[in-house]
Amino acid sequence: MKFKAFLTEHGVNLLERRFLPALDKMGKICHLFLTRDHAIFLHNLLNGDGVQCIAQFRKEALFDDYRISSQNEDRIAFAIDVSLLLRAVRSSVSICTEFGNGPSANRLQIKLVKKLPLNCTQPMPFLTFETNGYKSAVIQDVPISKPLSRAQVLELQTALELAQDIPQTLVQVPDLNQLQNFVERMKQVGDMLNVSISKYGDLHVQISTTLITLGAEFRKLLVIGEQAEAPSDDRNQSAQTRSERAISRGDAQRVQVSVKHFSRSLHCHLAKPDCTFYGIAPQGSCLTVIFQFFIPGTHQTDKSISLHCRLPVFDPGSS
């Protein structure tokens, strides 16, 4: 089992300034799944508890001189502490910036190794970063779990494939900051959030207690997938009435999610996506958030990067 690659400058920027800070907010531990063509960061895919978050990169988006081999079809997966990984990348970048020069400047090598730590009798696995400075090489070891077995890798691969389903209707939310500010206020009211999405392009979020009901509606959003014309007689109705009518017609779905989970998924804005879409899976099995990235300087989707979250629901949903 071997893995070795060089992080490119673009790859370092993606991880250090965008994706690792976002993933760190999603949870302390994630799985890093390496294949012949991709590097994938996975939160909560095996335990099924909490927000599932999947960040997938083609190897060219992050690495140069990418080499991997294993007896499991060149697939390697392990658990890693995201905060330690982020700290190692940032530290290596600062060393490269301060001391790197010549043709090897900013060359940050990453590889899997086994080492014997102090006061240990058994070698332990590490993800090692090696930076060539001006007069010396600086090595940083990030501890990782024992690599997953063949059966565990298959389980992870199966969970990843199941998590790729795209809802039939997606609506684009143009201002994540506005939604985040609203959800922060909602956290003071209660723990459960009702989310409904219609084929008309409406996103309705509401939290209710015995004393208060607080809600927000985002209307006439861009719709991807199945869509429909909103009935004209709905225009003068309240947001809650419009939502109920759309659900009864089969033009909308509603799910109930944790306010804490919803708020946590919004931290993915740290990855600086260009577009954000919300959708509800068939039978209301989860609330899906898909983040879209453009090729810099264009409005074309960067297919080398993908990021999405799946929020567990407390209600089977209605459709």
Side-chain angles (χ1 to χ4, degrees), residues 238-274:
S238 68
Q240 190 167 355
T241 300
R242 279 196 301 271
S243 177
E244 295 290 348
R245 287 186 173 186
I247 291 170
S248 67
R249 295 187 193 106
D251 287 339
Q253 286 181 289
R254 178 194 293 137
V255 290
Q256 190 176 63
V257 299
S258 159
V259 175
K260 182 179 177 181
H261 288 168
F262 195 93
S263 177
R264 183 172 295 171
S265 70
L266 289 171
H267 288 303
C268 285
H269 81 278
L270 294 171
K272 301 177 183 176
D274 293 290

PDB file of all heavy atoms in Angstrom, residues 238-274:
ATOM      1  N   SER A 238     -50.726  33.700   2.182  1.00  0.00           N
ATOM      2  CA  SER A 238     -49.547  33.744   3.047  1.00  0.00           C
ATOM      3  C   SER A 238     -48.535  32.690   2.604  1.00  0.00           C
ATOM      4  O   SER A 238     -48.867  31.731   1.892  1.00  0.00           O
ATOM      5  CB  SER A 238     -49.947  33.481   4.500  1.00  0.00           C
ATOM      6  OG  SER A 238     -50.386  32.130   4.652  1.00  0.00           O
ATOM      7  N   ALA A 239     -47.296  32.848   3.045  1.00  0.00           N
ATOM      8  CA  ALA A 239     -46.247  31.899   2.677  1.00  0.00           C
ATOM      9  C   ALA A 239     -46.599  30.494   3.141  1.00  0.00           C
ATOM     10  O   ALA A 239     -46.404  29.509   2.409  1.00  0.00           O
ATOM     11  CB  ALA A 239     -44.915  32.352   3.285  1.00  0.00           C
ATOM     12  N   GLN A 240     -47.137  30.387   4.344  1.00  0.00           N
ATOM     13  CA  GLN A 240     -47.472  29.074   4.879  1.00  0.00           C
ATOM     14  C   GLN A 240     -48.601  28.421   4.081  1.00  0.00           C
ATOM     15  O   GLN A 240     -48.558  27.218   3.792  1.00  0.00           O
ATOM     16  CB  GLN A 240     -47.870  29.199   6.351  1.00  0.00           C
ATOM     17  CG  GLN A 240     -48.014  27.854   7.058  1.00  0.00           C
ATOM     18  CD  GLN A 240     -48.088  28.012   8.564  1.00  0.00           C
ATOM     19  OE1 GLN A 240     -47.942  29.099   9.092  1.00  0.00           O
ATOM     20  NE2 GLN A 240     -48.303  26.910   9.264  1.00  0.00           N
ATOM     21  N   THR A 241     -49.590  29.215   3.689  1.00  0.00           N
ATOM     22  CA  THR A 241     -50.697  28.685   2.886  1.00  0.00           C
ATOM     23  C   THR A 241     -50.211  28.240   1.518  1.00  0.00           C
ATOM     24  O   THR A 241     -50.590  27.171   1.017  1.00  0.00           O
ATOM     25  CB  THR A 241     -51.804  29.744   2.726  1.00  0.00           C
ATOM     26  OG1 THR A 241     -52.295  30.103   4.017  1.00  0.00           O
ATOM     27  CG2 THR A 241     -52.943  29.212   1.870  1.00  0.00           C
ATOM     28  N   ARG A 242     -49.351  29.056   0.886  1.00  0.00           N
ATOM     29  CA  ARG A 242     -48.798  28.681  -0.427  1.00  0.00           C
ATOM     30  C   ARG A 242     -48.039  27.367  -0.330  1.00  0.00           C
ATOM     31  O   ARG A 242     -48.146  26.490  -1.191  1.00  0.00           O
ATOM     32  CB  ARG A 242     -47.875  29.777  -0.948  1.00  0.00           C
ATOM     33  CG  ARG A 242     -48.590  30.941  -1.592  1.00  0.00           C
ATOM     34  CD  ARG A 242     -47.629  31.782  -2.407  1.00  0.00           C
ATOM     35  NE  ARG A 242     -46.535  32.310  -1.578  1.00  0.00           N
ATOM     36  CZ  ARG A 242     -46.579  33.456  -0.929  1.00  0.00           C
ATOM     37  NH1 ARG A 242     -47.676  34.194  -1.000  1.00  0.00           N
ATOM     38  NH2 ARG A 242     -45.556  33.873  -0.214  1.00  0.00           N
ATOM     39  N   SER A 243     -47.262  27.228   0.732  1.00  0.00           N
ATOM     40  CA  SER A 243     -46.478  26.014   0.914  1.00  0.00           C
ATOM     41  C   SER A 243     -47.386  24.797   1.091  1.00  0.00           C
ATOM     42  O   SER A 243     -47.165  23.745   0.472  1.00  0.00           O
ATOM     43  CB  SER A 243     -45.553  26.170   2.133  1.00  0.00           C
ATOM     44  OG  SER A 243     -44.836  24.986   2.379  1.00  0.00           O
ATOM     45  N   GLU A 244     -48.420  24.932   1.920  1.00  0.00           N
ATOM     46  CA  GLU A 244     -49.347  23.820   2.157  1.00  0.00           C
ATOM     47  C   GLU A 244     -50.061  23.421   0.869  1.00  0.00           C
ATOM     48  O   GLU A 244     -50.235  22.224   0.581  1.00  0.00           O
ATOM     49  CB  GLU A 244     -50.367  24.202   3.234  1.00  0.00           C
ATOM     50  CG  GLU A 244     -49.787  24.449   4.617  1.00  0.00           C
ATOM     51  CD  GLU A 244     -49.290  23.172   5.280  1.00  0.00           C
ATOM     52  OE1 GLU A 244     -49.596  22.072   4.771  1.00  0.00           O
ATOM     53  OE2 GLU A 244     -48.594  23.272   6.307  1.00  0.00           O
ATOM     54  N   ARG A 245     -50.487  24.412   0.093  1.00  0.00           N
ATOM     55  CA  ARG A 245     -51.195  24.114  -1.154  1.00  0.00           C
ATOM     56  C   ARG A 245     -50.277  23.409  -2.148  1.00  0.00           C
ATOM     57  O   ARG A 245     -50.693  22.467  -2.841  1.00  0.00           O
ATOM     58  CB  ARG A 245     -51.745  25.406  -1.765  1.00  0.00           C
ATOM     59  CG  ARG A 245     -52.942  25.988  -1.027  1.00  0.00           C
ATOM     60  CD  ARG A 245     -53.508  27.177  -1.789  1.00  0.00           C
ATOM     61  NE  ARG A 245     -54.747  27.663  -1.199  1.00  0.00           N
ATOM     62  CZ  ARG A 245     -55.501  28.617  -1.737  1.00  0.00           C
ATOM     63  NH1 ARG A 245     -55.125  29.186  -2.888  1.00  0.00           N
ATOM     64  NH2 ARG A 245     -56.615  29.003  -1.153  1.00  0.00           N
ATOM     65  N   ALA A 246     -49.031  23.861  -2.244  1.00  0.00           N
ATOM     66  CA  ALA A 246     -48.086  23.250  -3.177  1.00  0.00           C
ATOM     67  C   ALA A 246     -47.834  21.793  -2.811  1.00  0.00           C
ATOM     68  O   ALA A 246     -47.751  20.919  -3.690  1.00  0.00           O
ATOM     69  CB  ALA A 246     -46.772  24.034  -3.185  1.00  0.00           C
ATOM     70  N   ILE A 247     -47.731  21.520  -1.512  1.00  0.00           N
ATOM     71  CA  ILE A 247     -47.524  20.137  -1.056  1.00  0.00           C
ATOM     72  C   ILE A 247     -48.738  19.280  -1.388  1.00  0.00           C
ATOM     73  O   ILE A 247     -48.609  18.143  -1.865  1.00  0.00           O
ATOM     74  CB  ILE A 247     -47.226  20.114   0.459  1.00  0.00           C
ATOM     75  CG1 ILE A 247     -45.848  20.737   0.738  1.00  0.00           C
ATOM     76  CG2 ILE A 247     -47.266  18.692   1.002  1.00  0.00           C
ATOM     77  CD1 ILE A 247     -45.565  20.975   2.203  1.00  0.00           C
ATOM     78  N   SER A 248     -49.934  19.813  -1.175  1.00  0.00           N
ATOM     79  CA  SER A 248     -51.159  19.046  -1.450  1.00  0.00           C
ATOM     80  C   SER A 248     -51.321  18.755  -2.940  1.00  0.00           C
ATOM     81  O   SER A 248     -51.901  17.743  -3.327  1.00  0.00           O
ATOM     82  CB  SER A 248     -52.382  19.802  -0.921  1.00  0.00           C
ATOM     83  OG  SER A 248     -52.586  21.001  -1.645  1.00  0.00           O
ATOM     84  N   ARG A 249     -50.778  19.625  -3.797  1.00  0.00           N
ATOM     85  CA  ARG A 249     -50.855  19.405  -5.251  1.00  0.00           C
ATOM     86  C   ARG A 249     -49.766  18.456  -5.745  1.00  0.00           C
ATOM     87  O   ARG A 249     -49.746  18.080  -6.914  1.00  0.00           O
ATOM     88  CB  ARG A 249     -50.703  20.741  -5.988  1.00  0.00           C
ATOM     89  CG  ARG A 249     -51.792  21.756  -5.763  1.00  0.00           C
ATOM     90  CD  ARG A 249     -51.592  22.945  -6.703  1.00  0.00           C
ATOM     91  NE  ARG A 249     -52.428  24.066  -6.313  1.00  0.00           N
ATOM     92  CZ  ARG A 249     -51.978  25.173  -5.712  1.00  0.00           C
ATOM     93  NH1 ARG A 249     -50.690  25.299  -5.459  1.00  0.00           N
ATOM     94  NH2 ARG A 249     -52.806  26.142  -5.387  1.00  0.00           N
ATOM     95  N   GLY A 250     -48.811  18.145  -4.887  1.00  0.00           N
ATOM     96  CA  GLY A 250     -47.684  17.335  -5.333  1.00  0.00           C
ATOM     97  C   GLY A 250     -46.594  18.149  -5.996  1.00  0.00           C
ATOM     98  O   GLY A 250     -45.703  17.591  -6.650  1.00  0.00           O
ATOM     99  N   ASP A 251     -46.656  19.471  -5.829  1.00  0.00           N
ATOM    100  CA  ASP A 251     -45.664  20.360  -6.442  1.00  0.00           C
ATOM    101  C   ASP A 251     -44.573  20.783  -5.460  1.00  0.00           C
ATOM    102  O   ASP A 251     -43.739  21.629  -5.789  1.00  0.00           O
ATOM    103  CB  ASP A 251     -46.349  21.624  -6.989  1.00  0.00           C
ATOM    104  CG  ASP A 251     -47.157  21.336  -8.248  1.00  0.00           C
ATOM    105  OD1 ASP A 251     -46.863  20.311  -8.906  1.00  0.00           O
ATOM    106  OD2 ASP A 251     -48.067  22.128  -8.573  1.00  0.00           O
ATOM    107  N   ALA A 252     -44.593  20.236  -4.252  1.00  0.00           N
ATOM    108  CA  ALA A 252     -43.582  20.598  -3.255  1.00  0.00           C
ATOM    109  C   ALA A 252     -43.388  19.436  -2.295  1.00  0.00           C
ATOM    110  O   ALA A 252     -44.232  18.543  -2.191  1.00  0.00           O
ATOM    111  CB  ALA A 252     -43.990  21.866  -2.490  1.00  0.00           C
ATOM    112  N   GLN A 253     -42.258  19.478  -1.602  1.00  0.00           N
ATOM    113  CA  GLN A 253     -41.970  18.522  -0.549  1.00  0.00           C
ATOM    114  C   GLN A 253     -41.549  19.288   0.698  1.00  0.00           C
ATOM    115  O   GLN A 253     -41.035  20.407   0.617  1.00  0.00           O
ATOM    116  CB  GLN A 253     -40.834  17.581  -0.947  1.00  0.00           C
ATOM    117  CG  GLN A 253     -41.191  16.515  -1.957  1.00  0.00           C
ATOM    118  CD  GLN A 253     -40.001  15.626  -2.249  1.00  0.00           C
ATOM    119  OE1 GLN A 253     -39.042  16.038  -2.884  1.00  0.00           O
ATOM    120  NE2 GLN A 253     -40.044  14.394  -1.764  1.00  0.00           N
ATOM    121  N   ARG A 254     -41.766  18.640   1.850  1.00  0.00           N
ATOM    122  CA  ARG A 254     -41.358  19.251   3.108  1.00  0.00           C
ATOM    123  C   ARG A 254     -40.645  18.204   3.963  1.00  0.00           C
ATOM    124  O   ARG A 254     -41.058  17.042   4.011  1.00  0.00           O
ATOM    125  CB  ARG A 254     -42.558  19.793   3.877  1.00  0.00           C
ATOM    126  CG  ARG A 254     -42.154  20.392   5.244  1.00  0.00           C
ATOM    127  CD  ARG A 254     -43.355  20.624   6.142  1.00  0.00           C
ATOM    128  NE  ARG A 254     -44.212  21.668   5.609  1.00  0.00           N
ATOM    129  CZ  ARG A 254     -45.534  21.602   5.573  1.00  0.00           C
ATOM    130  NH1 ARG A 254     -46.150  20.511   5.999  1.00  0.00           N
ATOM    131  NH2 ARG A 254     -46.249  22.594   5.099  1.00  0.00           N
ATOM    132  N   VAL A 255     -39.580  18.636   4.639  1.00  0.00           N
ATOM    133  CA  VAL A 255     -38.893  17.769   5.597  1.00  0.00           C
ATOM    134  C   VAL A 255     -38.601  18.568   6.852  1.00  0.00           C
ATOM    135  O   VAL A 255     -38.613  19.809   6.845  1.00  0.00           O
ATOM    136  CB  VAL A 255     -37.566  17.192   5.033  1.00  0.00           C
ATOM    137  CG1 VAL A 255     -37.830  16.181   3.928  1.00  0.00           C
ATOM    138  CG2 VAL A 255     -36.649  18.312   4.547  1.00  0.00           C
ATOM    139  N   GLN A 256     -38.319  17.845   7.919  1.00  0.00           N
ATOM    140  CA  GLN A 256     -37.950  18.472   9.184  1.00  0.00           C
ATOM    141  C   GLN A 256     -36.521  18.059   9.516  1.00  0.00           C
ATOM    142  O   GLN A 256     -36.200  16.868   9.548  1.00  0.00           O
ATOM    143  CB  GLN A 256     -38.905  18.030  10.292  1.00  0.00           C
ATOM    144  CG  GLN A 256     -38.743  18.809  11.592  1.00  0.00           C
ATOM    145  CD  GLN A 256     -39.793  18.393  12.611  1.00  0.00           C
ATOM    146  OE1 GLN A 256     -39.825  17.246  13.035  1.00  0.00           O
ATOM    147  NE2 GLN A 256     -40.659  19.323  13.003  1.00  0.00           N
ATOM    148  N   VAL A 257     -35.670  19.056   9.734  1.00  0.00           N
ATOM    149  CA  VAL A 257     -34.260  18.789  10.018  1.00  0.00           C
ATOM    150  C   VAL A 257     -33.844  19.524  11.290  1.00  0.00           C
ATOM    151  O   VAL A 257     -34.558  20.402  11.790  1.00  0.00           O
ATOM    152  CB  VAL A 257     -33.343  19.231   8.844  1.00  0.00           C
ATOM    153  CG1 VAL A 257     -33.689  18.476   7.575  1.00  0.00           C
ATOM    154  CG2 VAL A 257     -33.433  20.743   8.615  1.00  0.00           C
ATOM    155  N   SER A 258     -32.689  19.167  11.786  1.00  0.00           N
ATOM    156  CA  SER A 258     -32.133  19.838  12.950  1.00  0.00           C
ATOM    157  C   SER A 258     -31.611  21.222  12.560  1.00  0.00           C
ATOM    158  O   SER A 258     -30.914  21.374  11.553  1.00  0.00           O
ATOM    159  CB  SER A 258     -30.997  18.988  13.532  1.00  0.00           C
ATOM    160  OG  SER A 258     -30.128  19.761  14.333  1.00  0.00           O
ATOM    161  N   VAL A 259     -31.955  22.227  13.362  1.00  0.00           N
ATOM    162  CA  VAL A 259     -31.421  23.575  13.127  1.00  0.00           C
ATOM    163  C   VAL A 259     -29.888  23.548  13.197  1.00  0.00           C
ATOM    164  O   VAL A 259     -29.205  24.198  12.408  1.00  0.00           O
ATOM    165  CB  VAL A 259     -31.985  24.573  14.163  1.00  0.00           C
ATOM    166  CG1 VAL A 259     -31.338  25.938  13.987  1.00  0.00           C
ATOM    167  CG2 VAL A 259     -33.489  24.690  14.033  1.00  0.00           C
ATOM    168  N   LYS A 260     -29.365  22.759  14.124  1.00  0.00           N
ATOM    169  CA  LYS A 260     -27.915  22.641  14.271  1.00  0.00           C
ATOM    170  C   LYS A 260     -27.284  22.072  13.006  1.00  0.00           C
ATOM    171  O   LYS A 260     -26.260  22.572  12.530  1.00  0.00           O
ATOM    172  CB  LYS A 260     -27.599  21.751  15.474  1.00  0.00           C
ATOM    173  CG  LYS A 260     -26.119  21.573  15.766  1.00  0.00           C
ATOM    174  CD  LYS A 260     -25.929  20.685  16.987  1.00  0.00           C
ATOM    175  CE  LYS A 260     -24.440  20.438  17.267  1.00  0.00           C
ATOM    176  NZ  LYS A 260     -24.268  19.551  18.456  1.00  0.00           N
ATOM    177  N   HIS A 261     -27.892  21.040  12.431  1.00  0.00           N
ATOM    178  CA  HIS A 261     -27.372  20.455  11.194  1.00  0.00           C
ATOM    179  C   HIS A 261     -27.449  21.450  10.040  1.00  0.00           C
ATOM    180  O   HIS A 261     -26.513  21.569   9.244  1.00  0.00           O
ATOM    181  CB  HIS A 261     -28.153  19.191  10.836  1.00  0.00           C
ATOM    182  CG  HIS A 261     -27.860  18.030  11.727  1.00  0.00           C
ATOM    183  ND1 HIS A 261     -28.634  16.876  11.737  1.00  0.00           N
ATOM    184  CD2 HIS A 261     -26.872  17.820  12.639  1.00  0.00           C
ATOM    185  CE1 HIS A 261     -28.134  16.033  12.616  1.00  0.00           C
ATOM    186  NE2 HIS A 261     -27.079  16.583  13.179  1.00  0.00           N
ATOM    187  N   PHE A 262     -28.579  22.147   9.938  1.00  0.00           N
ATOM    188  CA  PHE A 262     -28.761  23.116   8.856  1.00  0.00           C
ATOM    189  C   PHE A 262     -27.713  24.217   8.946  1.00  0.00           C
ATOM    190  O   PHE A 262     -27.098  24.604   7.948  1.00  0.00           O
ATOM    191  CB  PHE A 262     -30.167  23.703   8.928  1.00  0.00           C
ATOM    192  CG  PHE A 262     -30.593  24.419   7.677  1.00  0.00           C
ATOM    193  CD1 PHE A 262     -31.292  23.751   6.688  1.00  0.00           C
ATOM    194  CD2 PHE A 262     -30.311  25.767   7.505  1.00  0.00           C
ATOM    195  CE1 PHE A 262     -31.691  24.407   5.531  1.00  0.00           C
ATOM    196  CE2 PHE A 262     -30.706  26.433   6.363  1.00  0.00           C
ATOM    197  CZ  PHE A 262     -31.397  25.748   5.368  1.00  0.00           C
ATOM    198  N   SER A 263     -27.496  24.704  10.166  1.00  0.00           N
ATOM    199  CA  SER A 263     -26.501  25.752  10.376  1.00  0.00           C
ATOM    200  C   SER A 263     -25.097  25.256  10.036  1.00  0.00           C
ATOM    201  O   SER A 263     -24.298  25.972   9.415  1.00  0.00           O
ATOM    202  CB  SER A 263     -26.554  26.225  11.834  1.00  0.00           C
ATOM    203  OG  SER A 263     -25.564  27.178  12.098  1.00  0.00           O
ATOM    204  N   ARG A 264     -24.807  24.022  10.429  1.00  0.00           N
ATOM    205  CA  ARG A 264     -23.464  23.477  10.159  1.00  0.00           C
ATOM    206  C   ARG A 264     -23.211  23.360   8.669  1.00  0.00           C
ATOM    207  O   ARG A 264     -22.107  23.651   8.187  1.00  0.00           O
ATOM    208  CB  ARG A 264     -23.330  22.113  10.833  1.00  0.00           C
ATOM    209  CG  ARG A 264     -21.958  21.475  10.680  1.00  0.00           C
ATOM    210  CD  ARG A 264     -21.830  20.240  11.533  1.00  0.00           C
ATOM    211  NE  ARG A 264     -21.889  20.568  12.953  1.00  0.00           N
ATOM    212  CZ  ARG A 264     -21.969  19.669  13.927  1.00  0.00           C
ATOM    213  NH1 ARG A 264     -22.028  18.377  13.623  1.00  0.00           N
ATOM    214  NH2 ARG A 264     -22.008  20.041  15.178  1.00  0.00           N
ATOM    215  N   SER A 265     -24.217  22.945   7.910  1.00  0.00           N
ATOM    216  CA  SER A 265     -24.026  22.799   6.461  1.00  0.00           C
ATOM    217  C   SER A 265     -23.727  24.136   5.792  1.00  0.00           C
ATOM    218  O   SER A 265     -23.048  24.190   4.759  1.00  0.00           O
ATOM    219  CB  SER A 265     -25.265  22.168   5.823  1.00  0.00           C
ATOM    220  OG  SER A 265     -26.371  23.057   5.841  1.00  0.00           O
ATOM    221  N   LEU A 266     -24.212  25.226   6.391  1.00  0.00           N
ATOM    222  CA  LEU A 266     -23.970  26.548   5.812  1.00  0.00           C
ATOM    223  C   LEU A 266     -22.507  26.974   5.928  1.00  0.00           C
ATOM    224  O   LEU A 266     -22.064  27.885   5.236  1.00  0.00           O
ATOM    225  CB  LEU A 266     -24.872  27.590   6.488  1.00  0.00           C
ATOM    226  CG  LEU A 266     -26.363  27.485   6.152  1.00  0.00           C
ATOM    227  CD1 LEU A 266     -27.175  28.423   7.042  1.00  0.00           C
ATOM    228  CD2 LEU A 266     -26.614  27.794   4.690  1.00  0.00           C
ATOM    229  N   HIS A 267     -21.750  26.307   6.815  1.00  0.00           N
ATOM    230  CA  HIS A 267     -20.325  26.624   6.922  1.00  0.00           C
ATOM    231  C   HIS A 267     -19.563  26.263   5.646  1.00  0.00           C
ATOM    232  O   HIS A 267     -18.408  26.684   5.477  1.00  0.00           O
ATOM    233  CB  HIS A 267     -19.703  25.901   8.112  1.00  0.00           C
ATOM    234  CG  HIS A 267     -20.103  26.458   9.444  1.00  0.00           C
ATOM    235  ND1 HIS A 267     -19.895  27.785   9.787  1.00  0.00           N
ATOM    236  CD2 HIS A 267     -20.710  25.891  10.517  1.00  0.00           C
ATOM    237  CE1 HIS A 267     -20.346  27.994  11.005  1.00  0.00           C
ATOM    238  NE2 HIS A 267     -20.847  26.874  11.474  1.00  0.00           N
ATOM    239  N   CYS A 268     -20.197  25.508   4.767  1.00  0.00           N
ATOM    240  CA  CYS A 268     -19.536  25.175   3.497  1.00  0.00           C
ATOM    241  C   CYS A 268     -19.318  26.410   2.626  1.00  0.00           C
ATOM    242  O   CYS A 268     -18.591  26.333   1.629  1.00  0.00           O
ATOM    243  CB  CYS A 268     -20.344  24.130   2.734  1.00  0.00           C
ATOM    244  SG  CYS A 268     -20.195  22.458   3.424  1.00  0.00           S
ATOM    245  N   HIS A 269     -19.919  27.549   3.013  1.00  0.00           N
ATOM    246  CA  HIS A 269     -19.638  28.772   2.259  1.00  0.00           C
ATOM    247  C   HIS A 269     -18.163  29.160   2.366  1.00  0.00           C
ATOM    248  O   HIS A 269     -17.647  29.915   1.526  1.00  0.00           O
ATOM    249  CB  HIS A 269     -20.524  29.925   2.748  1.00  0.00           C
ATOM    250  CG  HIS A 269     -20.025  30.601   3.988  1.00  0.00           C
ATOM    251  ND1 HIS A 269     -20.267  30.095   5.247  1.00  0.00           N
ATOM    252  CD2 HIS A 269     -19.262  31.719   4.175  1.00  0.00           C
ATOM    253  CE1 HIS A 269     -19.693  30.876   6.148  1.00  0.00           C
ATOM    254  NE2 HIS A 269     -19.074  31.858   5.537  1.00  0.00           N
ATOM    255  N   LEU A 270     -17.457  28.609   3.379  1.00  0.00           N
ATOM    256  CA  LEU A 270     -16.019  28.871   3.505  1.00  0.00           C
ATOM    257  C   LEU A 270     -15.234  28.309   2.325  1.00  0.00           C
ATOM    258  O   LEU A 270     -14.114  28.755   2.043  1.00  0.00           O
ATOM    259  CB  LEU A 270     -15.489  28.267   4.816  1.00  0.00           C
ATOM    260  CG  LEU A 270     -16.014  28.891   6.112  1.00  0.00           C
ATOM    261  CD1 LEU A 270     -15.584  28.051   7.312  1.00  0.00           C
ATOM    262  CD2 LEU A 270     -15.515  30.325   6.258  1.00  0.00           C
ATOM    263  N   ALA A 271     -15.813  27.325   1.623  1.00  0.00           N
ATOM    264  CA  ALA A 271     -15.164  26.775   0.430  1.00  0.00           C
ATOM    265  C   ALA A 271     -15.347  27.689  -0.788  1.00  0.00           C
ATOM    266  O   ALA A 271     -14.825  27.399  -1.861  1.00  0.00           O
ATOM    267  CB  ALA A 271     -15.716  25.387   0.120  1.00  0.00           C
ATOM    268  N   LYS A 272     -16.083  28.780  -0.604  1.00  0.00           N
ATOM    269  CA  LYS A 272     -16.304  29.804  -1.627  1.00  0.00           C
ATOM    270  C   LYS A 272     -16.948  29.255  -2.900  1.00  0.00           C
ATOM    271  O   LYS A 272     -16.411  29.408  -4.009  1.00  0.00           O
ATOM    272  CB  LYS A 272     -14.985  30.519  -1.961  1.00  0.00           C
ATOM    273  CG  LYS A 272     -14.345  31.190  -0.752  1.00  0.00           C
ATOM    274  CD  LYS A 272     -13.005  31.824  -1.093  1.00  0.00           C
ATOM    275  CE  LYS A 272     -12.357  32.421   0.146  1.00  0.00           C
ATOM    276  NZ  LYS A 272     -11.008  32.973  -0.124  1.00  0.00           N
ATOM    277  N   PRO A 273     -18.108  28.595  -2.757  1.00  0.00           N
ATOM    278  CA  PRO A 273     -18.808  28.119  -3.961  1.00  0.00           C
ATOM    279  C   PRO A 273     -19.379  29.290  -4.753  1.00  0.00           C
ATOM    280  O   PRO A 273     -19.626  30.368  -4.208  1.00  0.00           O
ATOM    281  CB  PRO A 273     -19.926  27.241  -3.387  1.00  0.00           C
ATOM    282  CG  PRO A 273     -20.203  27.829  -2.034  1.00  0.00           C
ATOM    283  CD  PRO A 273     -18.866  28.303  -1.523  1.00  0.00           C
ATOM    284  N   ASP A 274     -19.592  29.082  -6.039  1.00  0.00           N
ATOM    285  CA  ASP A 274     -20.179  30.117  -6.889  1.00  0.00           C
ATOM    286  C   ASP A 274     -21.702  30.059  -6.878  1.00  0.00           C
ATOM    287  O   ASP A 274     -22.361  31.082  -7.081  1.00  0.00           O
ATOM    288  CB  ASP A 274     -19.656  29.974  -8.320  1.00  0.00           C
ATOM    289  CG  ASP A 274     -18.164  30.288  -8.415  1.00  0.00           C
ATOM    290  OD1 ASP A 274     -17.797  31.465  -8.269  1.00  0.00           O
ATOM    291  OD2 ASP A 274     -17.368  29.346  -8.611  1.00  0.00           O
TER     292      ASP A 274
END
